[in-house]
């Protein structure tokens, strides 16, 4: 469609589209438009990052969570979830193994687990910082006070991932219990940015009730936050959550949003997520070919992998770290990109 080709050209040149143009593009893209969008997105990415793809080693260190988000398998109300915590020693072992496998970023993710007090988190972060001074340390442990974020930063954390989930307060309300608010989530992200972290926000594509208006609010929020990283993946239902019967987000919508985000934020680090690899066997490769430039193979000990289940059908739960790393590297090479041994910091 000619109008869509013009919209994509405009987005590539100006990095923004008026709301009505974005909605029209989102709702009417055909396969030819798609190819153009992805080609422009790849060009934009390659101008900044070349054909490099950055690896992040993901360590899922606790499946305990005090929150009750309606979409997440780790929600406190899920009595069937299997809970575990890694010890500091296990976490440090994961990092050592990751380092041998050429990872230079470690992402520590968990539910919001009160056992991991600020003191414990700072202890873990400073040990990793000491053992691996050339690596980036990313935390993804939820909403905390500004003082806590500052303490982790002072202990040596460089980056923080906190998806905002949706920038629309009413939509936020429909995905979370009343104790959680869109306002606090956004406050956290601005605090993190001010402290000096490289910050990642993001959404689930096709989360229950999500409309194109909500996506527009997300894009406007991102324009305001100017995140260094944007994590998006499809919503996938989990059988033991209130959203067990809601449809999953689609591959197509996720790829469209990746392409659009790449054109709007050429310098952003955009992961091709595990959720994307879960809804399609080549989802992550397709993500890279639509503009993503990061993948996050799992470094968690094989024994606990099957217990960190945010959604049904999660891939790579049976593998060892080395297998995940080798598999990812081969997949990336096959599509003409290269995995580099690097922290993969944000290019300004
Ligand atoms: N407790 C941390 C980490 C949450 S898990 C935090 O609050 O940031 C990381 C991300 O997984 C969430 O932000 C959410 O966007 C995503 N997620 C959770 N449940 C999901 C589901 N059912 N389908 C797809 N993604 C999901």
């Amino acid at each position: 469609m000619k109008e869509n080709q013009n919209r994509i050209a405009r987005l590539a040149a100006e990095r923004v589209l008026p709301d009505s143009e974005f909605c029209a593009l989102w709702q009417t893209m055909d396969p030819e438009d798609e190819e153009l969008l992805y080609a422009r997105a790849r060009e934009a990415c390659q101008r900044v990052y070349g054909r490099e793809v950055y690896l992040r080693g993901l360590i899922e260190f606790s499946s305990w969570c005090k929150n009750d988000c309606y979409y997440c398998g780790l929600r406190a109300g899920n009595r069937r979830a299997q809970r575990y915590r890694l010890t500091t020693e296990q976490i440090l072992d994961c990092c050592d193994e990751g380092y041998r496998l050429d990872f230079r970023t470690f992402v520590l993710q968990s539910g919001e687990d009160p056992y991991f007090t600020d003191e414990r988190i700072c202890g873990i972060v400073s040990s990793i910082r000491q053992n691996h001074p050339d690596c980036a340390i990313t935390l993804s442990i939820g909403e905390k006070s500004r003082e806590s974020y500052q303490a982790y930063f002072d202990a040596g954390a460089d980056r923080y991932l906190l998806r905002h989930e949706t920038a629309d307060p009413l939509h936020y309300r429909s995905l979370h219990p009343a104790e959680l608010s869109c306002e606090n989530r956004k406050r956290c992200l601005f605090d993190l940015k001010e402290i000096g972290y490289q910050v990642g926000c993001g959404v689930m594509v096709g989360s229950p009730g999500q409309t194109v208006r909500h996506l527009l609010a997300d894009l406007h929020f991102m324009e305001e936050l100017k995140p260094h990283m944007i994590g998006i993946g499809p919503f996938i239902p989990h059988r033991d959550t209130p959203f067990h019967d809601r449809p999953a987000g689609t591959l197509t919508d996720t790829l469209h949003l990746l392409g659009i985000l790449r054109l709007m934020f050429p310098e952003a680090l955009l992961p091709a997520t595990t959720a994307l690899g879960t809804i399609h066997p080549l989802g992550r490769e397709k993500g890279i070919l639509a503009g993503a430039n990061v993948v996050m193979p799992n470094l968690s000990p094989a024994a606990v992998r099957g217990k960190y289940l945010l959604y049904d059908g999660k891939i790579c739960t049976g593998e060892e770290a080395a297998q995940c790393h080798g598999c990812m590297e081969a997949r990336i090479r096959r599509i003409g990109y290269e995995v580099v041994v690097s922290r993969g910091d944000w290019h300004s």
Side-chain angles (χ1 to χ4, degrees):
M1 205 204 271
K2 189 85 171 81
E3 288 102 308
N4 280 345
Q5 298 188 2
N6 291 337
R7 290 178 183 124
I8 291 164
R10 182 164 175 194
L11 196 55
E14 300 172 19
R15 299 188 178 190
V16 284
L17 269 188
D19 290 0
S20 58
E21 295 289 299
F22 170 79
C23 292
L25 178 66
W26 185 258
Q27 284 159 341
T28 64
M29 239 186 293
D30 69 21
E32 220 177 297
D33 303 331
E34 251 171 36
E35 283 315 311
L36 181 71
L37 173 67
Y38 303 154
R40 290 287 169 276
R42 288 195 295 270
E43 281 164 23
C45 190
Q46 286 170 22
R47 269 198 295 276
V48 183
Y49 291 102
R51 285 178 166 264
E52 294 186 352
V53 173
Y54 305 108
L55 293 184
R56 318 297 196 202
L58 182 61
I59 302 166
E60 299 154 334
F61 68 93
S62 170
S63 67
W64 287 93
C65 192
K66 67 178 168 66
N67 293 334
D68 227 359
C69 307
Y70 304 149
Y71 45 84
C72 183
L74 301 186
R75 67 199 303 271
N78 180 9
R79 297 291 158 77
R80 293 165 69 164
Q82 301 183 61
R83 310 291 178 174
Y84 69 90
R85 285 183 186 111
L86 299 185
T87 62
T88 300
E89 200 186 355
Q90 284 176 306
I91 296 171
L92 297 178
D93 285 348
C94 287
C95 294
D96 290 344
E97 157 137 51
Y99 194 88
R100 282 192 294 275
L101 290 168
D102 283 349
F103 287 101
R104 293 297 178 268
T105 293
F106 304 117
V107 180
L108 271 58
Q109 191 180 83
S110 69
E112 289 198 16
D113 178 358
Y115 170 86
F116 285 97
T117 55
D118 288 354
E119 204 180 324
R120 288 194 168 107
I121 295 291
C122 288
I124 294 164
V125 168
S126 57
S127 302
I128 300 174
R129 177 55 57 236
Q130 212 161 27
N131 297 350
H132 302 291
D134 55 334
C135 292
I137 303 170
T138 305
L139 293 175
S140 178
I141 58 175
E143 297 177 26
K144 308 279 177 180
S145 67
R146 182 172 180 134
E147 292 68 37
S148 299
Y149 288 145
Q150 184 70 55
Y152 313 151
F153 187 78
D154 295 340
D158 314 86
R159 307 185 186 141
Y160 206 102
L161 304 180
L162 185 75
R163 291 190 179 174
H164 64 287
E165 316 296 0
T166 170
D168 180 276
L170 285 178
H171 188 220
Y172 197 94
R173 176 88 311 136
S174 72
L175 300 176
H176 302 94
E179 310 82 78
L180 298 172
S181 76
C182 192
E183 195 190 349
N184 192 52
R185 198 93 181 157
K186 291 177 179 171
R187 187 275 303 162
C188 288
L189 284 160
F190 285 109
D191 279 351
L192 288 161
K193 190 111 191 276
E194 272 177 31
I195 290 169
Y197 284 95
Q198 291 180 45
V199 170
C201 66
V203 302
M204 293 175 287
V205 178
S207 62
Q210 186 182 62
T211 65
V212 65
R213 289 275 145 203
H214 297 140
L215 288 173
L216 263 177
D218 292 323
L219 297 179
H220 291 314
F221 170 69
M222 292 179 202
E223 279 168 341
E224 189 189 343
L225 178 67
K226 300 188 174 51
H228 305 90
M229 304 170 282
I230 306 171
I232 65 155
F235 160 73
I236 303 173
H238 184 293
R239 64 172 73 83
D240 301 314
T241 62
F243 289 157
H244 62 93
D245 56 358
R246 300 305 191 92
T250 66
L251 174 72
T252 305
D253 281 349
T254 308
L255 296 176
H256 288 178
L257 189 59
L258 275 173
I260 289 169
L261 288 172
R262 174 55 69 202
L263 293 181
M264 291 181 67
F265 303 95
E267 296 90 7
L269 290 149
L270 294 182
T273 56
T274 305
L276 188 55
T278 296
I279 55 163
H280 188 284
L282 295 175
R284 286 166 300 177
E285 289 90 326
K286 288 175 185 290
I288 291 167
L289 294 170
N293 63 339
V294 170
V295 284
M296 302 172 65
N298 204 311
L299 269 182
S300 310
V304 303
R305 282 192 191 194
K307 301 181 184 171
Y308 194 86
L309 299 179
L310 311 174
Y311 46 80
D312 289 337
K314 186 179 176 206
I315 53 171
C316 313
T317 51
E319 261 109 283
E320 298 285 346
Q323 287 172 284
C324 276
H325 179 272
C327 163
M328 223 36 257
E329 199 166 8
R331 284 169 180 266
I332 290 165
R333 265 209 228 102
R334 229 175 279 142
I335 56 169
Y337 283 71
E338 71 172 312
V339 172
V340 288
V341 184
S342 149
R343 286 175 39 122
D345 281 301
W346 190 71
H347 288 201
S348 55

